[in-house]
Amino acid sequence: MLKEELHNITIRDLFNTNRISARAYNCCSNASLETLYDIISYYNKGKSFMRIRNLGHLTAVELENLCKEIIPQINHFKIDQSNTFKESSENEEKETHSLTEEALIEAKYSELINCCSVRTFNALKNFSAEVFIQSHLYKHNNELFNLKNIGKKSVDEIIALKSKFKSFIEEINKESHLELTKYEAKNKFDDLSENAFIHDFYKKSSHFPMLWIFEQKILSERKLEIEIFNNSFCVFNNYQKQTLNQIGLKYNLSRERIRQIRNDVFSNFFEITHIKPNKFNKLFSHKEDWIYLYESIKTNDIIYQDSIEIQNHLKDENCKFTSEFVMHIIVNLFRDNYTLYSGFNLSKRDKIWHNTFLIKNEFSAIFDIEKMREEFSNTIMNNETDYLLDIEDYIANSQCWIKYDYSKTNNIISIVRVILLYEFQLYSDDIVGLIKIPSNRESKPMAVIYKILQQNGKPMHIDEIFEEFKIILPEHKFTDASQLRSHLQRHEAISYRNRKSVYTLKEWNHIKSGTIRDAISEFLSKNDFPKTVDEITEYVLQFFPETNISSIRTTMSNDSQKRFSFFKDNLYGLNNKVYSSEYVIFKQHDLLRKSFEQKLHDLEIFIVENEHFPFASSEGSKESSLGRWWYRILNNKQQINESQQIEVDRVIVQYTEYDTDKSTYEWNKNYNIFKRFLLENRRIPSARGEEKFLYGWLSRAKEDFLNYNLTEEQRQKYIDLAKLI
């Protein structure tokens, strides 16, 4: 067979004649080995087929056997390097084409033993390099005395030989490995693969600087969404964190829209199940590149944001990420090993934790860390006198154990001590290790609420009160404004104004407390005769200037307590008062137009507050009543005039994005709750306990998806959800 014939035999010919497998065909094609000549040349140059991407050991053996079979059949075979490899001189060809890595090692071994004394040479000449490596190179030096005719002088020579031989082998392997890593970097990191920092770092550390690479990917992205994400969270140390409202003003977007963009970017960073991975989450598809992060912390039961391990990685990789962001990266990759506490707050709720921690799952699975923190927060908040706490006794008798494990008690104690130190600045300051729980000298909630209103000097909405409350008592257990309501309602010096969400001080005589209906009742009770709506309005406006005559009329028409009666000539009175017989009482149905206006007003308020239309099948009587009324309006079962129809059409168009079907609304609500759970906890809900409902909802949603019982919109949402799991 002549070498020209090798050019004419393509890898397609080899595949069609079953000389090579499909895997070998694909790998050769990817490596630009298009003909049998290319394959033989590649092998004859001493290159390992294992260097070809996606080519495993069996395929490499297959190609090597093919070459060994073909080469003896070739007449006057001489490699023409110009077709495949970089040109080199004819002398270099003769010297290197036959030198595989194994041959180089064998040659080095021969060189080293030839430099030894005659006795040492005679003892080692019968060993090949491979046998010497396996039998003696990495064994203890004392075993060299077992060699025949070897004394102390020869042993010293062999020890020196071993040192030189080891260095040579390591260098050969290192150079070979670096070539492979350069090829690997090109496939993984695209435009960053040629950056000298990556290769210099790999030579020094034996792994890629993945934090630095991820950082460069983010910095190279100029999209608005990335900028919003960076401003919203502390991703980089040199970024100033801003509130959602501040960012919204900057980009002329709503606070909620900014939150959605921020959370979407977070999901896009770490979600790796996309059909078409983006350049961010593509980095996480190769978990082995990030294993060095786990190796550095795996001996620690708890990692906090200032831990030296994370700081060292950031310093070594010259990376400006915050520790908090790095911890999100770690838990995303190794969620089977660690649970993240705190971190970026993706929910609408106030952030409770002050620091971020990673805790091994084996401990968070048996001890409720969240409950433990809440207990200490409440203890510190309500503690009136200083006392010493025996932490070991506390852990032994704690109700936070999910599954008690005596063998892990010391680990739990250590974890709790770290959390107490960084979250509450509580630590042992005596020889026996007791922790001092200080008394809380701050004001109690009710006194704080009163002081907030007094300093403000005017009525405040409950949300405004809560915002001030958390500034004064940031550690208080309350996490939502609604938790203040009971304190506000039972406080002797506080009353509500108009609606129950606005509160005032009773001592402010110039400010009317109670509701508009209370003011109307007060006015009518002072008069022996029914009054016109104009007279009533004039009185009410003294105390509630924000209302108007139309609102007052509809307020009386739709009073749930039915306190008001309606008379001819547009007069109003109280149901519990007896008026002269000259005043003719109107029935409720005579006030259809007024009732319609109020109903529509109540409908819009309900939609905005509840983010869906009222359902006739609701358990709440107010919602079900409003739902039935709206059903009658839409189905022409209640007569309305032309102007009222215009208002109905307006509401339909204005609130078209809100759900009108209860089952659809419930599905979407549970979907949002489930998705938020995944983003916050990075795991599927448990089939037991409080998370049982979410676990069951996922099972039902999956079954409905497989049986095509979902709408197209719901099917797409389920698919998006499945990508997060």
Side-chain angles (χ1 to χ4, degrees), residues 87-105:
E87 289 185 359
S88 61
S89 67
E90 185 175 317
N91 289 335
E92 288 176 329
E93 284 181 349
K94 291 179 180 179
E95 292 175 359
T96 62
H97 287 167
S98 61
L99 293 180
T100 62
E101 289 179 11
E102 293 79 4
L104 289 171
I105 291 173

Side-chain angles (χ1 to χ4, degrees), residues 211-216 219 234-239 311 313-326:
L211 294 175
W212 181 88
I213 291 170
F214 190 20
E215 177 188 42
Q216 300 309 306
L219 293 175
C234 287
V235 178
F236 298 102
N237 284 315
N238 56 345
Y239 267 77
Q311 298 303 318
H313 285 305
L314 291 170
K315 181 180 179 181
D316 292 344
E317 298 187 36
N318 193 25
C319 179
K320 300 298 187 295
F321 280 153
T322 60
S323 300
E324 194 173 22
F325 188 57
V326 174

